[in-house]
Amino acid sequence: GLNFIDLMVRQGNIDNPPKTPLVPGFECSGIVEALGDSVKGFEIGDRVMAFVNYNAWAEVVCTPVEFVYKIPDDMSFSEAAAFPMNFVTAYMMLFEVANLREGMSVLVHSAGGGVGQAVAQLCSTIPNVTVFGTASSFKHEAIKNSVTHLFDRNADYVQEVKRISTDGVDIVLDCLCGENTGKGLSLLKPLGTYILYGSSNMVTGETKSFFSFAKSWWQVEKVNPIKLYEENKVIAGFSLLNLLFKQNRSGLIKSVIDKLLNLYNSKIIKPVVDSLWALEEVKEAMQRIHDRGNIGKLILDVEKAPTPLMANDSTETSEAGEEEEDHEGDNENKERMPFIQ
């Protein structure tokens, strides 16, 4: 699976970026080829999905058993690779951090992305939850039915939300950072929760820019603790990767995965796969995420051959072609959406 955090890793926009050479990637799906001596509960040939602390974009992946989960028989490998990061992040923010309940309202940015679509699906499992979403205007037609109210990401969404809900919202999920932090806090109802889980506004070009990085942080509204308690507001942060690999909460994540797979087996939730790409096309795939052209998750498929470039293609983008069959069980022949020019 490709995630926006992979772009941040590439540009060094994270604490303690890893040294090169590096194989990126934090999640994958596949078939068990070998087991450690003390591994219980898995057999060679099992279909699994897994979290990996880097090195997921490879034909062979090795990871500790506590980060590996069996996948349902009717879940394709592309769905499984799109499942862990997005749905665990969405579930834990909504239910573990913000305590989503009946009748609440949620604002989610990048509503057309993998996490945004997971948030929308999980909100639908609770009665009378209102979901406000922001997304690029070209995505609105495709995702309009997944959220209650949809706004253009460049519009004044604060005024639009307040026009519909005078008091604001109960939960704000912010993956953008920058000036959106202050806007999100201003929209919170009393006892509302603002959760920062990304900072995609800091990724602006091919390489890390000190000025865009500094500008994003400069735009973050300084949080006054006195003001927080006077207004009865909660501000929180969430990093699934730190929870897994630095804070040793794999047992908690396993229980969340079990709950999510029950929802999947009940056909209540389903990963949204935007497109499949060959490993050789990783540059174009990352460009698609950078340009926010995806609806749902982009997947690197190690068995897929690269799509031939068309005569009018540039080196930065590739035309959308018919997807080849996923030989490992995903037989949905999806057409890849073209880049937004």
Side-chain angles (χ1 to χ4, degrees), residues 247-283:
Q247 295 155 355
N248 303 316
R249 295 297 191 272
S250 59
L252 173 60
I253 305 303
K254 173 69 165 63
S255 68
V256 171
I257 289 276
D258 290 343
K259 294 172 185 175
L260 288 168
L261 289 178
N262 285 335
L263 291 172
Y264 177 87
N265 289 329
S266 301
K267 303 192 184 307
I268 296 173
I269 62 173
K270 184 179 176 65
V272 178
V273 177
D274 175 80
S275 48
L276 274 62
W277 303 74
L279 287 177
E280 294 89 343
E281 298 172 318
V282 66
K283 177 184 177 183

Side-chain angles (χ1 to χ4, degrees), residues 129-133 144-150:
V129 171
T130 302
V131 181
F132 298 91
K144 64 182 181 182
N145 294 327
S146 65
V147 299
T148 319
H149 304 286
L150 189 57

Side-chain angles (χ1 to χ4, degrees), residues 40-70:
K40 300 285 192 299
F42 292 92
E43 296 180 358
I44 292 175
D46 282 347
R47 302 169 73 250
V48 297
M49 57 187 171
F51 290 110
V52 192
N53 194 9
Y54 295 106
N55 298 304
W57 297 355
E59 293 171 320
V60 178
V61 173
C62 183
T63 194
V65 68
E66 60 262 33
F67 303 137
V68 184
Y69 321 94
K70 291 181 181 178

Side-chain angles (χ1 to χ4, degrees), residues 195-233:
I195 305 174
L196 179 68
Y197 70 99
S199 49
S200 62
N201 278 340
M202 294 184 185
V203 178
T204 57
E206 279 294 309
T207 57
K208 180 177 178 179
S209 165
F210 170 80
F211 296 103
S212 64
F213 194 84
K215 179 184 176 184
S216 289
W217 278 120
W218 183 256
Q219 289 174 329
V220 174
E221 183 172 299
K222 306 303 181 286
V223 177
N224 182 341
I226 304 298
K227 191 176 179 182
L228 279 180
Y229 96 75
E230 287 178 346
E231 297 183 353
N232 283 300
K233 293 181 177 180

Side-chain angles (χ1 to χ4, degrees), residues 141-194:
E141 184 63 30
I143 67 172
K144 64 182 181 182
N145 294 327
S146 65
V147 299
T148 319
H149 304 286
L150 189 57
F151 312 119
D152 188 283
R153 67 186 299 267
N154 297 313
D156 185 1
Y157 61 84
V158 173
Q159 293 306 313
E160 290 293 323
V161 171
K162 288 185 174 180
R163 181 177 58 82
I164 298 167
S165 177
T166 307
D167 294 338
V169 298
D170 295 291
I171 301 169
V172 174
L173 305 178
D174 181 10
C175 60
L176 304 177
C177 199
E179 62 181 339
N180 293 280
T181 301
K183 292 179 179 179
L185 284 170
S186 72
L187 279 172
L188 279 186
K189 293 179 181 179
L191 302 182
T193 303
Y194 162 92

Side-chain angles (χ1 to χ4, degrees), residues 21-35:
L22 172 75
V23 176
F26 297 101
E27 63 182 339
C28 62
S29 66
I31 296 172
V32 175
E33 290 194 358
L35 301 169

